[in-house]
Amino acid sequence: MASSSVTYFSCKNTLIAITTIFILSSSSCSASPATTKVNPRPRPFKKIYAFGDSFTDTGNTKSATGPSGFGHVSNPPYGTTFFHHPTNRYSDGRLVIDFIAESLSLPYLKPYRSILSNATDVAHGVNFAVAGSTAIEHQFFVKNNLSLAITPQSIQTQLLWFNKFLESQGCKVARAACKAAAFDDALFWVGEIGVNDYAYTIGSGIPSDTIQQLGISRVTSFLQALLKNGAKYVVVQGLPLSGCLPLAMTLAPEDDRDNIGCVKSANNQTFSHNRVLQAKLQQLRKQFPHAVITYADYWNAYFTVMKNPNQYGFKESFKACCGTGDPYNFEVFAVCGTPSASACPSPSQYINWDGVHLTEAMYKVLTDMFLNGKATHPPFSYLLDMKLRHG
């Protein structure tokens, strides 16, 4: 799409606000929380490797050190719903990746940075997702004078981390034995990646078409690397319905709305991105016919909820649960985790948690759609059947 699709974010202050919302520091994380109860049924997968940004990060970033101190993910009320304390997750509780682990009778994934400083059991997988990550390499943003306080990690950084992790386990990707040990019983979950790329270039004059092309190219290369090295079961999430986030709703002009009341230009942008991404995934399926590559339709799953929120138990579609200010309980300089912000008493009735990220309740609804509904293509049940059939 042309850059005009995001004119609602054109001013300099807005650019800084958005980048600092998504930017998280590169400091090391705290320990991962306790594991879930294990179900008696057999495990189709022995491990999960996760990648992505703040929608998937379970602790690789601790707190933001951006120019305005945004991203106080280590402060209450983050984590209040399920863990009852902050866990460096950008929600009041569990994320999609946590519910995926539970559904597969696996423990919650350890953040990669936590295993660097602590000897810990990683037999069930590792989470390489880091908040603030981009699909395009950091140098692109530096070259265009857009680095600000952006985290330097990209999806390619996460691939390097993954390879280093394999080496730390005494296994190199080039060895056949390594591939069998690391890949055969692993689910690769690639959470959404690319929203930050658009956010960081807003107001810069760089066309969104350029970001789309470069971002999808980098994600495709990342997926090719995993598949060439032996990944057999891969789930790739598309971008979310970003125009329904309080951040976008606050900053966009009131005449930029679609039929569900969200920011039309932003939703069009992510919809277009996802359409091209799905075409690339289809090409990868032909290139790697022995792998199962499932697309998790984040955009349409979110859209389904927004069309009928009451059906899913939500009473508030647009306001953030944690924040301050009217009309969306969101202000870019007083975000969740800062002294002036507070949380609603019933997060489970809200779709959005902090203006950018979602509540545990919404993540659970989305996970159910991915696992049991029609939001994965081919269905997640097909992926599981293929794993059980081929071992």
Side-chain angles (χ1 to χ4, degrees):
M1 297 179 63
S3 60
S4 61
S5 65
V6 288
T7 54
Y8 61 91
F9 285 132
S10 60
C11 69
K12 181 178 179 181
N13 288 341
T14 298
L15 172 61
I16 295 173
I18 293 175
T19 54
T20 48
I21 286 292
F22 283 94
I23 292 164
L24 290 300
S25 74
S26 58
S27 59
S28 61
C29 62
S30 63
S32 180
T35 61
T36 56
K37 293 181 180 179
V38 176
N39 297 327
R41 59 188 171 85
R43 291 174 174 172
F45 294 100
K46 293 181 180 178
K47 58 180 76 74
I48 304 172
Y49 297 119
F51 307 86
D53 59 17
S54 55
F55 290 95
T56 307
D57 185 359
T58 56
N60 278 315
T61 51
K62 190 173 183 179
S63 61
T65 55
S68 300
F70 290 124
H72 296 268
V73 68
S74 297
N75 297 340
Y78 282 97
T80 185
T81 293
F82 182 79
F83 303 106
H84 307 299
H85 61 85
T87 63
N88 299 318
R89 286 167 169 80
Y90 283 82
S91 184
D92 60 309
R94 292 162 290 183
L95 313 180
V96 167
I97 192 62
D98 296 311
F99 289 116
I100 295 298
E102 288 182 5
S103 74
L104 297 174
S105 302
L106 293 173
Y108 299 143
L109 298 183
K110 303 285 185 181
Y112 172 70
R113 282 175 165 164
S114 73
I115 69 174
L116 295 177
S117 56
N118 300 302
T120 185
D121 178 17
V122 292
H124 300 298
V126 180
N127 191 338
F128 299 93
V130 57
S133 278
T134 54
I136 305 170
E137 62 277 4
H138 181 64
Q139 187 58 35
F140 170 84
F141 301 98
V142 174
K143 180 181 177 180
N144 287 279
N145 297 315
L146 297 170
S147 58
L148 297 178
I150 297 171
T151 177
Q153 284 79 31
S154 69
I155 195 67
Q156 294 301 320
T157 307
Q158 295 176 40
L159 180 62
L160 292 174
W161 286 356
F162 176 63
N163 290 335
K164 288 180 180 179
F165 165 73
L166 293 180
E167 292 179 8
S168 74
Q169 302 300 298
C171 173
K172 294 196 174 180
V173 178
R175 293 168 47 192
C178 164
K179 292 180 181 180
F183 292 89
D184 284 357
D185 290 317
L187 173 66
F188 288 80
W189 189 277
V190 183
E192 81 86 18
I193 187 87
V195 166
N196 292 325
D197 298 72
Y198 291 106
Y200 295 160
T201 52
I202 287 165
S204 67
I206 299 174
S208 62
D209 282 349
T210 299
I211 300 305
Q212 180 185 103
Q213 179 183 356
L214 292 175
I216 292 177
S217 172
R218 301 304 188 267
V219 171
T220 302
S221 296
F222 166 79
L223 292 170
Q224 285 176 323
L226 292 180
L227 292 161
K228 285 179 180 178
N229 285 324
K232 296 180 180 179
Y233 305 98
V234 183
V235 177
V236 181
Q237 279 186 250
L239 301 190
L241 204 65
S242 58
C244 295
L245 302 177
L247 169 65
M249 299 289 291
T250 297
L251 298 173
E254 292 184 1
D255 60 352
D256 184 6
R257 294 292 186 268
D258 57 21
N259 60 355
I260 57 171
C262 299
V263 179
K264 182 177 182 178
S265 58
N267 283 344
N268 285 348
Q269 183 183 73
T270 48
F271 182 86
S272 174
H273 181 104
N274 290 338
R275 185 168 53 188
V276 177
L277 174 61
Q278 289 178 76
K280 292 294 184 182
L281 294 183
Q282 186 58 26
Q283 293 176 13
L284 290 175
R285 293 185 185 106
K286 294 177 180 179
Q287 186 179 354
F288 300 94
H290 300 297
V292 179
I293 305 171
T294 290
Y295 174 70
D297 195 342
Y298 199 169
W299 198 99
N300 275 303
Y302 198 147
F303 183 76
T304 299
V305 177
M306 289 297 296
K307 286 193 299 183
N308 192 359
N310 291 335
Q311 179 181 336
Y312 299 93
F314 297 114
K315 295 183 178 180
E316 180 52 62
S317 301
F318 296 107
K319 287 185 178 180
C321 170
C322 181
T324 187
D326 293 324
Y328 302 111
N329 198 39
F330 177 79
E331 291 184 5
V332 294
F333 296 106
V335 295
C336 186
T338 59
S340 57
S342 60
C344 64
S346 302
S348 64
Q349 297 178 1
Y350 283 65
I351 287 176
N352 194 278
W353 167 245
D354 61 5
V356 177
H357 308 95
L358 310 180
T359 59
E360 176 185 272
M362 181 59 168
Y363 283 131
K364 186 177 190 306
V365 168
L366 293 173
T367 306
D368 289 342
M369 290 181 172
F370 293 154
L371 298 183
N372 307 309
K374 299 179 180 179
T376 47
H377 314 285
F380 192 76
S381 59
Y382 171 80
L383 181 145
L384 293 180
D385 288 343
M386 292 298 289
K387 176 64 175 70
L388 293 172
R389 185 180 305 175
H390 297 288

